[in-house]
């Protein structure tokens, strides 16, 4: 591939998603430079990892107190939560073996 074609792709990957500013998937440096993000992620990680069996049950059941607490900490909008629960249910095999992936998913959903 020509360098002239690669540069726009790299730049596009580093731009800010205006609909969800601060989402580290779209702005990789945010996770490093935004102390608020690190604190929020830490809260979500504590909830998920210290209540992992309970949050798995909540996801399977379509909701529950631990999942609600994790979504609250991640800032997942209330109107998005039913759809996000379905997404979490469909990817549960991944989260069973990797709780960190569940933390990341919640953070992306929360923006």
């Amino acid at each position: 591939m020509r360098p002239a074609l690669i540069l726009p792709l790299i730049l596009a990957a580093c731009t800010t998603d205006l609909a969800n500013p601060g989402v580290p998937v779209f702005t990789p440096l945010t996770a490093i430079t935004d102390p608020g993000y690190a604190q929020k992620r830490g809260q979500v990680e504590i909830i998920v990892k210290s209540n992992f069996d309970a949050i798995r049950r909540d996801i399977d059941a379509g909701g529950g107190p631990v999942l609600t607490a994790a979504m609250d900490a991640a800032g997942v909008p209330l109107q998005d939560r039913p759809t996000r629960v379905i997404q979490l249910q469909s990817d549960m095999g991944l989260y069973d073996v990797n709780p960190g992936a569940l933390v990341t998913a919640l953070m992306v959903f929360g923006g």
Side-chain angles (χ1 to χ4, degrees), residues 24 31 34-49 73-74 98-108:
D34 181 4
Y37 173 84
Q39 182 178 7
K40 183 165 60 166
R41 183 180 176 90
Q43 292 171 344
V44 173
E45 191 165 348
I46 288 170
I47 293 167
V48 169
K49 291 184 177 180
N98 188 353
L102 176 55
V103 172
T104 300
L106 291 167
M107 292 302 298
V108 171

Side-chain angles (χ1 to χ4, degrees), residues 17-86:
D17 177 10
L18 297 177
N20 295 303
V23 177
V25 169
F26 297 107
T27 56
L29 293 178
T30 300
I32 298 168
T33 60
D34 181 4
Y37 173 84
Q39 182 178 7
K40 183 165 60 166
R41 183 180 176 90
Q43 292 171 344
V44 173
E45 191 165 348
I46 288 170
I47 293 167
V48 169
K49 291 184 177 180
S50 63
N51 301 289
F52 191 60
D53 289 335
I55 199 166
R56 288 174 43 216
R57 284 191 300 271
D58 285 357
I59 292 169
D60 285 340
V66 178
L67 181 58
T68 297
M71 287 185 162
D72 287 345
V76 179
L78 291 174
Q79 68 273 14
D80 292 351
R81 292 182 184 192
T83 302
R84 299 309 186 187
V85 170
I86 293 168

